[in-house]
Amino acid sequence: METLDLKPMPHAQLAYPIANDPNILLGNDDWLGRGGGLLFVAHGGAGKSSLIYDACCTWALGESFMGIKANGRLRTLMIQAEDSERYIGKLRTSFDVSLNLNEAKQKQRDDNVIIYHVRGVNGAKFFALLRRLVEKHAPDLVVINPVYLFAEGDISTPDACQPFLVGLDAINRDQRFGYILVHHTGKPVKKDGKGQRAELEDWETIYQGFGSSFFANWPRCTMLLEPREGQH
């Protein structure tokens, strides 16, 4: 049985987050720091992979993405199961052209965004792989896309979801990096007799990811990408 060497947190030595705190990775006031997690949720085909790739490439250059600033030039380890080399190549080319990146910045981006295409691995085998890759690349951010493919069992149940999230935390016990879990929405709520659906309150949107509510309660922060009528 594993023995944990735990010590109490020294209240008197705890510091309020400051702008240049190296343990704050993204945003202001410790929005996402080392040891934390971000859940990014959207429906199939919404562009999750494209958006998260652009975000990580932007943060790799130390720049802000859609108002979310990076605390330095962040190094990302991205483990994904859905996107081919051709698709990633298209995203890379589009990113370079849209930002008019020179060769030096392209190299900086390529060095700081490490992508592995992983399929057919979940549960304990996934955790063993993740541990090796974290040790090899020493990332600031770890992206898992999509998260449900790497969990073992039915993540709509706490019996499968909780061990998976606990396993992620165990690999990051010393709080070296922050997680970004890319997740799908569940089935839409049925329409009523008038063809309408109940409108969600803002606080309810964190539960849009399908599966156990552990996915909504575990992360430090949540992003939801969804279509809005009249907005493009």
Side-chain angles (χ1 to χ4, degrees):
M1 179 180 296
E2 183 182 8
T3 301
L4 300 180
D5 182 19
L6 299 178
K7 297 179 181 179
M9 299 177 71
H11 288 219
Q13 298 177 27
L14 300 181
Y16 187 84
I18 56 176
N20 60 351
D21 186 337
N23 292 310
I24 299 175
L25 299 170
L26 297 174
N28 296 308
D29 200 22
D30 206 16
W31 188 68
L32 180 63
R34 300 186 192 277
L38 163 66
L39 185 72
F40 174 44
V41 181
H43 63 82
K48 294 184 296 298
S49 295
S50 303
L51 189 144
I52 206 64
Y53 177 83
D54 283 354
C56 292
C57 287
T58 304
W59 295 328
L61 302 175
E63 300 175 3
S64 297
F65 179 79
M66 298 182 68
I68 303 173
K69 70 176 184 179
N71 190 5
R73 299 170 182 174
L74 302 182
R75 185 176 181 84
T76 298
L77 168 64
M78 186 180 298
I79 299 175
Q80 58 89 18
E82 296 182 331
D83 304 315
S84 66
E85 292 183 1
R86 299 177 302 281
Y87 185 72
I88 296 296
K90 181 174 72 172
L91 296 181
R92 181 187 186 278
T93 301
S94 176
F95 186 86
D96 291 351
V97 172
S98 62
L99 270 70
N100 193 27
L101 293 191
N102 58 33
E103 290 187 5
K105 285 197 172 184
Q106 288 180 29
K107 183 178 186 306
Q108 182 182 76
R109 183 272 319 281
D110 292 346
D111 289 344
N112 281 340
V113 181
I114 303 117
I115 304 174
Y116 284 87
H117 187 64
V118 178
R119 304 186 74 179
V121 176
N122 66 4
K125 291 184 178 180
F126 169 71
F127 287 132
L129 172 64
L130 178 59
R131 192 179 296 277
R132 290 198 303 271
L133 294 180
V134 165
E135 293 299 329
K136 180 178 181 180
H137 296 291
D140 299 300
L141 298 169
V142 172
V143 174
I144 302 176
N145 179 22
V147 64
Y148 75 93
L149 284 182
F150 300 106
E152 186 173 24
D154 181 1
I155 63 167
S156 66
T157 66
D159 289 344
C161 187
Q162 185 190 36
F164 181 74
L165 295 175
V166 170
L168 292 181
D169 284 339
I171 291 176
N172 197 21
R173 184 173 291 146
D174 52 1
Q175 304 186 54
R176 289 176 289 173
F177 56 86
Y179 281 112
I180 298 179
L181 307 185
V182 181
H183 197 28
H184 287 259
T185 56
K187 292 181 180 180
V189 177
K190 291 184 179 181
K191 295 181 179 180
D192 60 22
K194 297 181 180 180
Q196 298 179 332
R197 294 189 179 95
E199 186 172 343
L200 295 175
E201 299 288 342
D202 286 344
W203 68 269
E204 294 177 293
T205 60
I206 65 171
Y207 293 96
Q208 288 293 88
F210 86 87
S212 170
S213 60
F214 274 107
F215 275 117
N217 300 327
W218 172 84
R220 175 67 178 82
C221 45
T222 303
M223 292 170 54
L224 174 65
L225 178 64
E226 60 179 354
R228 291 294 179 97
E229 186 176 352
Q231 298 182 10
H232 302 282

